[in-house]
Amino acid sequence: MPAGSSSKRERQYEHIKEGATERGTSTGRAEEIAARTVNKQRARSGEAKRASTTSTRDPKSAPQRGGERSHRGPQGPTRDQLYQEARKENVEGRSSMNKQQLRDALGR
C-alpha cells in the first residue's frame, strides 16, 4: 500500500488479499490483485495523486460491471467437447477442423 493510505484502504487491501489467497492464488499474485483493486478505488474517490482514464471515467466499478468485458458471453461447448462428439459420430477429418467447422459437421 502507498504511504499515507487511510486505514479503510489498508483493511480493504488485507481483505482482498486474504480472499484471493483463500481461493488458491499465490501470495504475490494476491498482493498484486489487492493493490490494483485498492488503487483503482482510491483513484475513483480522488484519493490518488495520479489516475488512469479507465479508473476515473469508467461508468461502473468492477463489481458493478460483472464481467461485461471478460468475453463475448457464452460460446457453447468447447472445441475439445465438439471434437469428442465428432469422434463418437466418426466424422471424417475432425482432427484438422476448428471449432466452427466441428459445429457445422455436427449440424449445430
Side-chain angles (χ1 to χ4, degrees):
M1 285 296 308
S5 307
S6 68
S7 60
K8 175 184 175 180
R9 297 297 179 203
E10 293 286 344
R11 288 190 311 272
Q12 185 181 28
Y13 172 85
E14 289 300 323
H15 179 72
I16 294 168
K17 186 173 105 176
E18 288 171 12
T21 307
E22 287 173 7
R23 287 189 305 273
T25 308
S26 69
T27 306
R29 180 72 176 138
E31 290 173 354
E32 180 182 353
I33 291 168
R36 286 175 185 251
T37 304
V38 171
N39 285 339
K40 184 162 186 169
Q41 295 300 322
R42 290 179 67 234
R44 297 184 125 237
S45 65
E47 298 170 32
K49 291 180 184 175
R50 291 181 290 152
S52 70
T53 305
T54 308
S55 294
T56 56
R57 293 194 183 159
D58 206 4
K60 300 183 211 170
S61 67
Q64 291 170 327
R65 233 180 10 255
E68 286 177 3
R69 293 192 203 126
S70 61
H71 43 78
R72 295 175 298 179
Q75 299 293 311
T78 65
R79 188 226 175 248
D80 290 337
Q81 291 168 330
L82 291 168
Y83 177 82
Q84 292 303 322
E85 189 175 333
R87 187 175 174 198
K88 287 177 187 173
E89 294 186 20
N90 291 325
V91 174
E92 291 200 24
R94 65 184 174 268
S95 62
S96 61
M97 292 182 184
N98 63 27
K99 186 174 179 179
Q100 186 59 50
Q101 291 168 330
L102 285 166
R103 274 193 205 132
D104 293 342
L106 292 168
R108 291 188 175 212

